[in-house]
Amino acid sequence: MIVSLPLMLFATATFRPERNADTTLLLHDVTWLLFIAYFPIQFGQNLGIALGVLADKSAKPVFPRWVGYLNVWFCFLLPPVVLAFYFREGPFAWHGLISFWVAAMAFFIWISCMVYALHKAVKDYPN
């Protein structure tokens, strides 16, 4: 739902191009704010992954420790996203450097590393 609802709202905003521009702008703003403000759920997910990875004291852990630290690092980069609700311009706006671009780059670094780590963990898993 975190991704599906904003995508459905984007589709709704573009469904009738003849609609009043203010209505389209409202749907656009709601969609972007929902899309970037999912951080509490992502924060909990990443904290859970980090705790699970860092607590694994087995001889051959499923994930290397850097995966746990990566998830902690990502948790610290998410909270500034909420500032988008208070700023319309500047680095803290929904399209600004901090609220959008730093979080987006952190997300793509995180997802790339997690795909790599998951692929390696599945490949190394004994049958």
Side-chain angles (χ1 to χ4, degrees), residues 32-119:
W32 272 112
L33 290 172
L34 281 173
F35 194 66
I36 65 169
Y38 72 98
F39 89 91
I41 295 166
Q42 186 75 35
F43 186 89
Q45 172 186 314
N46 289 99
L47 194 58
I49 293 169
L51 292 173
V53 169
L54 296 174
D56 186 359
K57 303 293 186 205
S58 62
K60 187 171 190 241
V62 176
F63 295 107
R65 293 185 66 76
W66 67 263
V67 172
Y69 294 121
L70 172 75
N71 280 277
V72 170
W73 168 78
F74 190 57
C75 284
F76 284 109
L77 291 177
L78 287 177
V81 169
V82 80
L83 295 173
F85 287 101
Y86 304 104
F87 293 91
R88 291 182 55 178
E89 296 295 327
F92 298 113
W94 68 265
H95 60 297
L97 177 67
I98 307 292
S99 291
F100 183 79
W101 290 107
V102 169
M105 293 307 297
F107 174 79
F108 287 112
I109 291 168
W110 172 79
I111 197 77
S112 300
C113 291
M114 287 302 293
V115 165
Y116 168 78
L118 282 166
H119 179 68

Side-chain angles (χ1 to χ4, degrees), residues 21-40:
D22 289 337
T23 305
T24 303
L25 180 62
L26 175 65
L27 282 170
H28 187 262
D29 289 345
V30 168
T31 301
W32 272 112
L33 290 172
L34 281 173
F35 194 66
I36 65 169
Y38 72 98
F39 89 91

